[in-house]
Structure formats: structure tokens, C-alpha cells
Amino acid sequence: MARAEIKLCSLLLQEHFGEIVEKIGVHLIRTGSQPLRVIAHNTGTLLDQVKKALCMLIQYNLVIYQVHKRGVVEYEAQCSGVLRMLRYPQYIYTARTLYSDTGELIVEELLLNGKMTMSTADRLTETMEDGKTMDYAEVSNTFVQLADTHFVQCCPWMPATENSDPGPPRPAPILVISEKDMYLVPKLSLMGKGKRRSSDEDAAGEPKAKRPKYSTDNKEPIPDDEIYWQANLDRFHQHFHDRAIVSAVANRMDQTSSEVMWPMLQMSEITTPSTDPFTQPLSSNEIFRSLPVGCNISKQVFDLYLTLLADGPLEFVGKFGDGGGGMYVINLHKALGSLATATLESVIQERFGSRCARIIRLVLQKKHLEQKQVEDFAMIPAKEAKDMLYKMLSGNFISLQEIPKTPDHAPTRTFYLYSVNILSAARMLLHRCYKSVANLIERRQFETKENKRLLEKSQRVEAIIASMQATGVEEVRLQEIEEMITAPKRQQLQTLKHNVNKLEASEIQADETIFLLESYIESTMKRQ
């Protein structure tokens, strides 16, 4: 595994879980699967701390375990799951866009807790603003909608037959679940509304964090005990794919074409696995009936757009058969390849200029070109073309293949052909993106650490002002509290917040590029 990828995983684990979990997680990423005591010995960590760290990582699906024939349990880190923590803000934003505030809070809680039962839905209200309430029935209905559209899924559980086995206990439980039970929501009777408490303590003075959710004296069983749910990140990725494909069609063609493409993707979201290169076939009549409400086009115009999508230069849509007005599928692998190619062209244009981007597009179109052909087709002087080709060759954006006429490989009797290996270039760009995100996180942490005292003082002042406003203090007193932070310090604080927000936005933008490149590489490797 690349050093930049391991470094990024280390930064993410340390930021989310602390030093001990980061130490165990990075060790497993570097060494592969290992048993418990070997992990404790190699990392120099107490056995109890290793157990707690592994429990934490298993809770968030960042570590899996496997029982070998001799009864030894080995733990293996999931590097891809660690890197997905970069995408948490996008998962939450997508849930908010599709299912409003309730969906956002459900997905946010699932991501923050790793796994949770549906009956803990009242915990969602703790993240609401003061004075706002949420109906439990609304939470339950939104949860059912998320399960129906496969954005959340049930976690595997231990079958009842394993508990009743009279033999010796297994070294680790075997968890199973059928596909039909994965999205089956239990029926719960959650009544009333929940709202956030204005104080961190109740009337008895007991802190909320230490109060048990279900009292041990209560003999009533929890209705969905041991039925845990988690966010289905692959389903979110499928939605991101669809959104990127629709955006590409809108940019290359027009908005109406993207509106024709969108229902084709929506109708195939549940029926098409995320790993399939094609969507399920859909008839022209089915697609027309599923058009958005605002898309007011006739059937004749709709058929013209479908034909244009199928026969156009994008080649995203394929047609086979004439039943139901024609059967259409979307070539997801081709779409991901086009998105990765567009990303590569954009990077080259930003780094080397528009002429190099022209050369790359030309080589992609012609597959193999000699230097003289590049000069002629791109209409660039020989000296400049040679310099540009060398820059891109040294940056591993293009490759050079030698085809000798004679066995001695004499330069005068050898063809030198330039070509672009999209898969190799995508891997190189992905490695650079990992390195860039790691640098962004380190810079953000450095900025925050350097101004730690100023941030703490600002938080204390804001807390004092909020408490005084709640008690109805005069405006003059509030201004006196605000003046505790001088004008230069306030300007420094604004600059810090601006820089941190900019760094966080850059992390999200870089992760969008990472997502496209990872998706293309994964799709290509499965086809080979």
C-alpha cells in the first residue's frame, strides 16, 4: 500500500478516534491480518487497550475478523472504510437533500455511532437546536423510507441456533443475514415528541451522558433488541455515480437530455447492484412515464432525445430490442471511464496549459501517435510539441512505446509511439490526491493548534453571551462581554475561520476527485 494512503488513514483515525485506535489501525493496515496477542506485542500496547480499540474499529466496520481452522481469530483492517470517513459530510448532505432534516439526523447518527438500533431514534433529538421538536412517527417513517431505498441496511446477526449449540463456544461469533431481511424494518410504536433539554442535567442533577437509556429494573424487553442498522455507503456511492453522470450529460448536451437520463438511473438504483457495468433494461414507454413533472416534452421529442443519447458521442446509453418502443440500458463502466478521462484532461490543462490538453485529447482519440503526427494534428511547432510531450511523459500522464524495425533497436529504425493508459494515469492521480488531502488535514490541524487559546477564549465568550441572552440581560452588559476579545484578536479569529473553512472545502473537493478515480479503477479491475 502506498505511503500517502497509509498516512491519510493515520490522520483520519487519529482525528476521529484518538492515538491508541490510530496506532492499532495503522499497524493492521501495514501488516495485514494478525491475532490479538500478536497485535498487542508488536504495538507495545496493553491487551485491554487493544481489545477496546478493536471493538471500536469493528463497531465502525473498519476492521473485520476471521476464524481459522485452528480456532485462531485474526483481525484485518479495511483501508477503504477508513478513507470513506472523508466522505461523511457528503453522505449527510445527500440524506438532507433527499429526506430533509429527519433523514440528515438519522444518517448522521448512524455514521457517528457506527451501528445503532431503530428504537434509539429519540437520541436524534439531542442534536436539534433548542426549542425544536421532532415527532417520533416522522423519524420512524423516514427510517422506513431510507430502508426501502437501501440507504440504510440491517447489520448481520448471530443466528439463534448458535446459542443453543451444546458444544464448546466458538472463539468468535459468525454473523449472517439474508438479503430479504437486510432492508426489513421492525414495527415499533414510538409515540410523542422529543426535544433537546436546555440544561445538561435533569432535576435530580444527574448528567445526561451517565443516565442509562433503559433502566435495568425495567423488565419490559426492548422491541428491537439486537437488531442493529448501519448506513449503506455503497448505495450512497451509487447515487453519487448517477448524479455525476447526469451532470456530465447536462454539460455535454443540454438540460433536457439530463432529465431524460435521470429517470433511467432512478428506476435502476434498487434493481442494479453497484458493481454491475450496465443497468437493467428499460423500455422507452417506462422511461417516458417516469419523467420528472417539470419535463414537458412530447413522446416524439422524447424518442429523439433517446436516439441522440444512444447514437451520440457520449455512448452512455445503449439500445437493444424493439419491444415497448425499444429497450435501453446505461453503460455505467463507459460513463465512469468518460468521467475519469475528463478529470485527467482537466488536471493536465490546469498544470500544463490548454495545448497539452489538446495533445492528450488527440492521443486519446487516435490511440497511438508519433511525435511528427502530434505536431501535424495538433498544429503545434516541433520544438514546443517535443517539450510538452516530455513534460507529460516525465509526469507519467502519457507513455512511450518503442516498436523496432530491426532486432538491434537502432533509433533510426524504431517507431516511437505515444499513448495514454487511463488506468495507470488514474492510479497516479489517485496517489497524488491522497497526498494532497493528507497535506490539507495537517495544515488545518496546525492552524487550529497554533490558535488553540484564541479559539477556547472565543468559545467561552460565546457561551457566556448565550447564557446571558437566555436570562434577559441588558444589551450594554452583552457588549462588555463581547469586548473581552479585542479588535485585532477578532480579526485574527475571522482569518482563522476563513482559512479553516477553505481547507475543509478543499478536502471535500479533493475527495470528489478521489471518488471518481476510485470508482473507475474498481470498475476496470472487475472487468479484467
Side-chain angles (χ1 to χ4, degrees):
M1 186 173 294
R3 185 181 302 176
E5 196 172 352
I6 296 175
K7 181 180 179 181
L8 180 55
C9 290
S10 173
L11 290 170
L12 291 171
L13 287 173
Q14 185 173 12
E15 188 173 33
H16 285 79
F17 303 108
E19 293 183 0
I20 296 178
V21 176
E22 179 265 337
K23 187 177 182 180
I24 302 301
V26 171
H27 173 73
L28 288 176
I29 290 173
R30 291 182 185 274
T31 59
S33 59
Q34 285 190 343
L36 175 65
R37 295 191 178 276
V38 175
I39 298 172
H41 177 267
N42 292 342
T43 58
T45 310
L46 295 177
L47 191 63
D48 187 50
Q49 292 180 335
V50 175
K51 290 180 180 179
K52 291 179 180 178
L54 288 174
C55 287
M56 180 70 70
L57 292 170
I58 292 172
Q59 171 75 11
Y60 288 87
N61 298 318
L62 304 180
V63 163
I64 59 174
Y65 60 85
Q66 184 178 3
V67 182
H68 289 272
K69 294 181 179 179
R70 296 183 178 181
V72 178
V73 181
E74 290 192 349
Y75 300 88
E76 182 179 357
Q78 300 293 297
C79 182
S80 59
V82 178
L83 295 174
R84 285 180 177 183
M85 290 193 290
L86 277 173
R87 225 159 284 151
Y88 279 7
Q90 295 189 53
Y91 300 144
I92 296 170
Y93 177 75
T94 300
R96 179 185 178 88
T97 304
L98 298 177
Y99 299 100
S100 69
D101 294 345
T102 311
E104 175 193 5
L105 291 173
I106 291 173
V107 173
E108 185 177 2
E109 281 291 313
L110 287 172
L111 293 175
L112 289 176
N113 294 278
K115 302 178 180 70
M116 60 183 290
T117 60
M118 186 179 171
S119 59
T120 55
D122 55 347
R123 292 179 55 190
L124 301 175
T125 59
E126 297 178 7
T127 59
M128 297 172 61
E129 297 178 2
D130 292 337
K132 288 189 177 182
T133 60
M134 179 180 292
D135 193 346
Y136 289 158
E138 181 184 355
V139 176
S140 180
N141 293 335
T142 305
F143 204 103
V144 171
Q145 292 177 16
L146 286 166
D148 290 341
T149 52
H150 297 184
F151 281 104
V152 298
Q153 62 184 9
C154 190
C155 302
W157 57 69
M158 188 168 61
T161 56
E162 189 165 334
N163 292 329
S164 58
D165 191 0
R170 295 179 181 271
I174 298 177
L175 307 179
V176 296
I177 188 172
S178 61
E179 189 174 354
K180 66 177 182 179
D181 295 333
M182 195 173 292
Y183 306 104
L184 186 63
V185 181
K187 293 183 179 180
L188 301 179
S189 58
L190 297 175
M191 304 296 292
K193 295 183 177 181
K195 69 176 182 179
R196 187 178 181 181
R197 294 175 175 83
S198 59
S199 174
D200 288 342
E201 298 184 0
D202 57 11
E206 182 184 0
K208 287 194 302 181
K210 296 184 179 180
R211 184 172 54 252
K213 182 166 288 293
Y214 296 100
S215 175
T216 55
D217 299 333
N218 188 5
K219 301 300 182 182
E220 183 179 353
I222 303 172
D224 62 340
D225 189 22
E226 296 184 358
I227 302 178
Y228 288 87
W229 294 81
Q230 62 187 357
N232 185 3
L233 302 186
D234 290 334
R235 177 65 181 86
F236 279 98
H237 292 171
Q238 195 173 5
H239 181 78
F240 296 160
H241 290 155
D242 297 349
R243 196 171 60 190
I245 291 171
V246 170
S247 177
V249 171
N251 292 334
R252 290 289 297 273
M253 300 179 71
D254 61 0
Q255 187 63 32
T256 307
S257 300
S258 65
E259 291 176 354
V260 172
M261 177 76 79
W262 182 243
M264 299 176 65
L265 292 166
Q266 277 191 314
M267 294 170 67
S268 305
E269 281 181 337
I270 306 300
T271 58
T272 304
S274 59
T275 57
D276 283 9
F278 295 92
T279 61
Q280 296 296 323
L282 296 171
S283 68
S284 173
N285 296 329
E286 286 179 311
I287 302 169
F288 182 73
R289 288 193 296 266
S290 302
L291 286 176
V293 179
C295 186
N296 298 320
I297 59 174
S298 63
K299 184 67 168 63
Q300 185 178 4
V301 176
F302 169 77
D303 290 336
L304 290 175
Y305 270 103
L306 267 183
T307 304
L308 182 62
L309 286 169
D311 300 335
L314 288 178
E315 300 180 356
F316 287 1
V317 178
K319 179 182 178 181
F320 67 96
D322 297 323
M327 303 297 290
Y328 294 88
V329 296
I330 297 178
N331 190 337
L332 298 176
H333 175 72
K334 177 68 176 179
L336 291 174
S338 299
L339 293 172
T341 303
T343 303
L344 174 63
E345 294 176 3
S346 176
V347 170
I348 290 176
Q349 182 165 347
E350 292 295 327
R351 185 171 178 181
F352 301 110
S354 59
R355 287 190 170 188
C356 288
R358 189 196 312 170
I359 293 175
I360 281 290
R361 284 192 289 268
L362 186 62
V363 176
L364 285 169
Q365 182 181 2
K366 301 294 184 179
K367 306 300 182 184
H368 296 86
L369 286 176
E370 290 186 277
Q371 181 179 325
K372 178 62 177 174
Q373 293 175 312
V374 171
E375 299 166 8
D376 295 339
F377 288 136
M379 294 182 291
I380 297 175
K383 184 178 179 181
E384 294 182 14
K386 182 178 180 180
D387 184 51
M388 293 174 184
L389 286 170
Y390 176 75
K391 285 181 179 178
M392 290 187 287
L393 182 63
S394 61
N396 295 324
F397 290 100
I398 61 175
S399 57
L400 182 63
Q401 183 180 2
E402 298 181 4
I403 303 180
K405 296 181 183 178
T406 56
D408 59 354
H409 288 260
T412 56
R413 294 185 296 275
T414 302
F415 294 109
Y416 295 93
L417 301 180
Y418 290 95
S419 62
V420 179
N421 188 335
I422 300 295
L423 183 61
S424 176
R427 285 173 172 161
M428 181 267 297
L429 286 179
L430 183 61
H431 173 76
R432 294 187 179 182
C433 287
Y434 287 145
K435 192 173 182 180
S436 298
V437 175
N439 292 339
L440 288 169
I441 293 175
E442 285 186 328
R443 184 64 191 181
R444 174 169 54 81
Q445 292 176 347
F446 173 78
E447 292 282 348
T448 306
K449 186 177 180 180
E450 286 293 305
N451 299 273
K452 183 178 180 180
R453 295 183 62 182
L454 179 60
L455 287 171
E456 291 176 349
K457 184 176 181 180
S458 173
Q459 291 173 357
R460 288 196 300 268
V461 170
E462 289 175 358
I464 294 171
I465 291 175
S467 62
M468 294 178 69
Q469 285 177 341
T471 56
V473 179
E474 298 178 355
E475 197 69 28
V476 179
R477 295 288 305 278
L478 294 177
Q479 291 180 358
E480 292 178 357
I481 299 298
E482 290 178 354
E483 290 174 357
M484 292 174 62
I485 301 179
T486 61
K489 291 294 184 181
R490 195 173 298 278
Q491 180 64 32
Q492 182 181 351
L493 188 63
Q494 291 178 354
T495 304
L496 172 64
K497 290 181 178 179
H498 173 74
N499 292 338
V500 170
N501 291 336
K502 197 171 181 179
L503 291 169
E504 290 177 345
S506 299
E507 291 174 28
I508 294 175
Q509 290 176 355
D511 181 65
E512 291 177 359
T513 304
I514 289 174
F515 172 70
L516 290 177
L517 295 174
E518 283 181 341
S519 301
Y520 168 71
I521 294 171
E522 182 181 0
S523 176
T524 305
M525 295 304 296
K526 287 179 179 177
R527 288 174 62 89
Q528 290 181 352

